[in-house]
Amino acid sequence: MADRALRGMQIGAKSMESEDGVVFAERYTVSYVCPNGHEFEVPLASEATPPATWECRCGSSAELIGDAPEDEETKPAKAVRTHWDMLRERRSLEELEVVLNEQLTAYREGRLQPEGHYRKG
């Protein structure tokens, strides 16, 4: 049994990795206070948006004190581009009218199928 014993370190107590050369993420701290008067700070990554509430050690919901720090590089949210928006970037309304008429003519002549099959046979 002594042959299987691990020697030289305690199992689970220490890591063989060092922090040499590790670049830690930028951080900031936000403060919260709960209804029972407990005030505490939570460190967050600089890109993270702090939640409005955080669970306190007593189990109640703590509220964020003050505002979240403003990011200097805050970009306005981009509007969602729809299929129609992307189509309008490529073609004018006149071009779209021509394509629509071509497709309607092909459909009426039976060259297009209504269930999405574009070729016969």
Side-chain angles (χ1 to χ4, degrees):
M1 189 148 181
D3 295 347
R4 294 190 199 168
L6 293 175
R7 295 184 184 154
M9 66 180 302
Q10 299 168 343
I11 297 177
K14 299 184 182 186
S15 172
M16 298 296 286
E17 296 181 17
S18 69
E19 294 179 358
D20 295 338
V22 175
V23 179
F24 293 103
E26 298 276 333
R27 296 179 185 259
Y28 69 97
T29 57
V30 291
S31 298
Y32 289 90
V33 65
C34 81
N36 297 331
H38 302 128
E39 188 171 329
F40 57 94
E41 292 182 340
V42 177
L44 297 173
S46 61
E47 301 89 29
T49 304
T53 60
W54 194 279
E55 186 177 350
C56 180
R57 65 178 183 254
C58 66
S60 60
S61 182
E63 298 290 325
L64 179 64
I65 298 174
D67 293 328
E70 294 296 323
D71 188 8
E72 297 168 1
E73 299 177 10
T74 303
K75 298 177 185 174
K78 292 171 74 176
V80 176
R81 286 179 29 189
T82 64
H83 178 72
W84 178 250
D85 295 332
M86 290 183 269
L87 189 62
R88 289 284 292 130
E89 289 174 4
R90 295 189 308 266
R91 298 185 186 247
S92 67
L93 287 175
E94 293 80 21
E95 290 174 320
L96 289 172
E97 190 70 33
V98 170
V99 171
L100 175 64
N101 288 330
E102 288 174 0
Q103 294 296 310
L104 287 173
T105 302
Y107 176 70
R108 289 180 186 128
E109 292 174 355
R111 291 185 282 147
L112 295 178
Q113 301 299 316
E115 57 273 348
H117 301 285
Y118 295 107
R119 296 184 188 150
K120 281 189 176 181

